[in-house]
Amino acid sequence: MKKAGSTQRRQFLKNSIGVLGAITLVGLSAHAEEERRRKKPEGGQAAGGGDPLVDPATDPMAKSTNYVAKRDDLKKAELKTDRQGVKFADQGCKGCMLFSAPSKKDGKEVGKCTLFAGKLVEAGGWCSSWSKKV
Ligand code: SF4
């Protein structure tokens, strides 16, 4: 019996060390990301201006949400519907609840989107997760 208890304690310690290691890695990763975002990129761009634009052709999230960089480029007619009382023609990233930190990149109006961490979406873009800014 004593041996079984010792084995359990050892296993518990191993598991605890694994969990602590994972928590530490997540914390360090989050800290590094926050530092990166806080630093102002060279060239005077606003924070986030150095992030790449979402590529609708290759980004998996863009594909799954039907993201387009320009709302009028959306091909699927069945998605061009009113949402939350807003006509499709008036929807766009700029008016979406998930859009933040507007800035400019390569002469384009861009911003951050909660769905695309570390990337930028175009203010005139759209995806099927569009939700009216309140
Ligand atoms: Fe644009 Fe909103 Fe979709 Fe993000 S969630 S890509 S801001 S429409």
Side-chain angles (χ1 to χ4, degrees):
M1 282 312 272
K2 194 173 179 183
K3 191 171 184 177
S6 173
T7 304
Q8 285 177 337
R9 258 194 311 278
R10 216 174 303 134
Q11 191 58 46
F12 171 77
L13 284 172
K14 275 186 190 173
N15 291 344
S16 299
I17 289 168
V19 169
L20 285 173
I23 289 171
T24 303
L25 284 177
V26 168
L28 287 174
S29 173
H31 179 71
E33 175 66 11
E34 185 59 31
E35 281 299 309
R36 190 184 64 77
R37 286 173 191 256
R38 231 182 283 167
K39 284 183 184 166
K40 195 172 183 178
E42 289 178 30
Q45 290 177 307
D51 291 337
L53 288 168
V54 170
D55 182 352
T58 59
D59 188 286
M61 178 62 81
K63 288 181 179 179
S64 70
T65 60
N66 298 287
Y67 171 79
V68 283
K70 290 179 181 37
R71 181 195 51 236
D72 295 339
D73 288 348
L74 183 67
K75 300 275 187 275
K76 296 179 178 176
E78 69 274 17
L79 294 176
K80 298 179 181 182
T81 59
D82 294 0
R83 289 178 173 77
Q84 298 161 305
V86 179
K87 294 196 178 311
F88 177 74
D90 296 327
Q91 297 170 21
C93 291
K94 195 174 187 175
C96 177
M97 187 166 30
L98 303 183
F99 186 81
S100 66
S103 61
K104 289 258 186 189
K105 183 179 179 75
D106 303 333
K108 297 174 181 169
E109 263 191 277
V110 298
K112 294 191 166 291
C113 169
T114 310
L115 297 183
F116 299 98
K119 296 181 182 174
L120 298 169
V121 295
E122 293 196 33
W126 181 92
C127 88
S128 54
S129 293
W130 184 89
S131 196
K132 184 179 174 181
K133 193 174 271 186
V134 287

